[in-house]
Amino acid sequence: LRVELQEDGRNWVVLEEFDYEIGEVGGEKIVVPVGVKTDFGSVPQALWNLISPIGKATRPFVLHDYLYSRQLYSRGMADYILLEALGVVGEAWIKRSSIYYGVRFGGWVAWNQHKKRIAAEKEKNK
């Protein structure tokens, strides 16, 4: 995973595309392109000792940020793909479950922000 820290000191941008093949839902390949912005895991800093945004989960976090930002799948499917990817990289069951239920509970905020942005872009391009 090649990324570059942005001037805000919190967000990163993908410098080299990578792909992920969805296993349980038909083997479809997702390509995360250059330029995707990510904060890795949107984990509150107070929880970083338990769930770090950097480590095994980093690539799945970037994949999930991409899926949310483009909304190529439903939110539930994007969250499921994150759960699956966390398993592929070897995250422990308790950690991947905690991350999954965290995004199921709180991910709607980011999802709706991206949904509004996408709608505004479509309207602008009419």
Side-chain angles (χ1 to χ4, degrees), residues 87-108:
V88 168
V89 298
E91 280 293 0
W93 175 86
I94 190 71
K95 192 169 183 179
R96 67 179 183 258
S97 296
S98 298
I99 293 167
Y100 174 75
Y101 287 110
V103 298
R104 290 305 301 149
F105 177 75
W108 64 271

Side-chain angles (χ1 to χ4, degrees), residues 11 18 61 78 87 98 100 102 104 107 113 117 120 122:
N11 292 290
F18 69 93
F61 284 153
S98 298
Y100 174 75
R104 290 305 301 149
Q113 288 172 342
R117 178 191 47 77
K122 285 182 181 177

Side-chain angles (χ1 to χ4, degrees), residues 6-24:
Q6 299 300 284
E7 288 184 21
D8 64 8
R10 171 100 171 110
N11 292 290
W12 301 75
V13 67
V14 173
L15 298 177
E16 186 175 296
E17 77 177 29
F18 69 93
D19 58 54
Y20 177 76
E21 189 169 321
I22 305 169
E24 293 185 27

Side-chain angles (χ1 to χ4, degrees), residues 3 16 22 28 31 38 41 49 54 82 88 100 108-109 120 123:
V3 293
E16 186 175 296
I22 305 169
E28 184 177 340
V31 177
T38 182
N49 286 337
I54 298 174
L82 170 64
V88 168
Y100 174 75
W108 64 271
V109 174
E123 187 64 32

Side-chain angles (χ1 to χ4, degrees), residues 70-96:
R70 301 295 166 86
Q71 298 192 353
L72 305 172
Y73 301 93
S74 68
R75 181 173 161 243
M77 178 61 99
D79 293 348
Y80 177 79
I81 293 168
L82 170 64
L83 178 64
E84 178 186 272
L86 290 166
V88 168
V89 298
E91 280 293 0
W93 175 86
I94 190 71
K95 192 169 183 179
R96 67 179 183 258

